Amino acid sequence: MNQFEASEKIYAFFHYFGMSCFARHGKLYEKYAHIEELIKNNGFIVEHENVYFSSVLTGNELSAVEINPYELSKDNQQNIDFILSGKQVGGCEVHFVNDKTAYLRWIYVNADITGKGIGTQCMNALKQWLYQKGIKRFDTDTALSNVIAQHYYEKNNFICEDKTRSYYRV
């Protein structure tokens, strides 16, 4: 049995932004329709669409939140806790694409403190920390249907770049 027989789905592993696929999905940048046509002609269908965001880091973000990073993994991912007044208020996972670009895989703030601006403080602390590490560009994406996350990223100076799509074949 080969690796594809163990799974019901086969995913298209294409990533325009140069990131290695570290999950069971590939994403396709909307501007490259000729690649989408090639993928569809080979039996792949859209699994889901995301909105892709990017932020240029300036080092000017201020926050009372502290960053508590865990050890960097062998595949350049790092989990981080957000600490405010000695208490963990949230966390995130960042993938370092190269020495100038990072990708936010996920971020959260504890449910009991949402709506108080702490999420913005966490993002500001994260951006400042990344900037101090030499990161200049910070990317992320979220589901097309997740308008709350889209608003959060826009509020925190991320620019909507375009859509990405994940494909699979049964």
Side-chain angles (χ1 to χ4, degrees):
M1 174 174 18
N2 68 36
Q3 66 184 19
F4 297 113
E5 292 173 332
S7 171
E8 294 180 20
K9 292 182 180 179
I10 298 174
Y11 286 82
F13 287 98
F14 174 82
H15 222 301
Y16 170 73
F17 294 99
M19 290 179 267
S20 61
C21 289
F22 40 79
R24 288 183 42 100
H25 68 278
K27 298 195 177 170
L28 177 62
Y29 200 50
E30 189 173 61
K31 291 179 183 177
Y32 293 86
H34 63 286
I35 298 173
E36 179 175 42
E37 184 178 328
L38 176 68
I39 289 172
K40 286 183 175 181
N41 287 343
N42 282 282
F44 287 87
I45 59 175
V46 174
E47 181 179 50
H48 66 273
E49 291 184 307
N50 286 352
V51 181
Y52 194 86
F53 291 92
S54 186
S55 181
V56 175
L57 302 185
T58 63
N60 296 326
E61 295 82 4
L62 300 175
S63 177
V65 171
E66 297 175 35
I67 296 292
N68 181 26
Y70 291 81
E71 188 173 327
L72 185 66
S73 73
K74 64 180 177 178
D75 52 352
N76 291 327
Q77 295 181 135
Q78 195 160 25
N79 288 338
I80 297 161
D81 289 338
F82 299 117
I83 309 297
L84 181 62
S85 301
K87 297 179 184 175
Q88 182 184 0
V89 295
C92 69
E93 183 175 270
V94 173
H95 175 77
F96 292 93
V97 178
N98 56 44
D99 61 349
K100 300 285 183 209
T101 305
Y103 176 80
L104 180 64
R105 296 213 42 223
W106 49 263
I107 188 169
Y108 77 94
V109 174
N110 295 346
D112 61 330
I113 57 171
T114 59
K116 299 179 180 178
I118 295 172
T120 294
Q121 286 190 50
C122 291
M123 181 61 76
N124 285 344
L126 180 60
K127 285 182 168 185
Q128 181 66 30
W129 181 77
L130 290 168
Y131 183 82
Q132 291 170 353
K133 293 177 76 58
I135 300 298
K136 303 295 182 210
R137 179 182 169 132
F138 193 31
D139 296 334
T140 194
D141 64 346
T142 190
L144 188 62
S145 62
N146 191 346
V147 293
I148 293 171
Q150 292 168 31
H151 176 72
Y152 172 74
Y153 293 129
E154 289 169 350
K155 180 176 142 182
N156 285 284
N157 298 315
F158 282 80
I159 304 298
C160 177
E161 295 285 341
D162 218 324
K163 293 179 190 166
T164 61
R165 294 188 182 99
S166 294
Y167 294 84
Y168 74 96
R169 181 173 66 191
V170 177

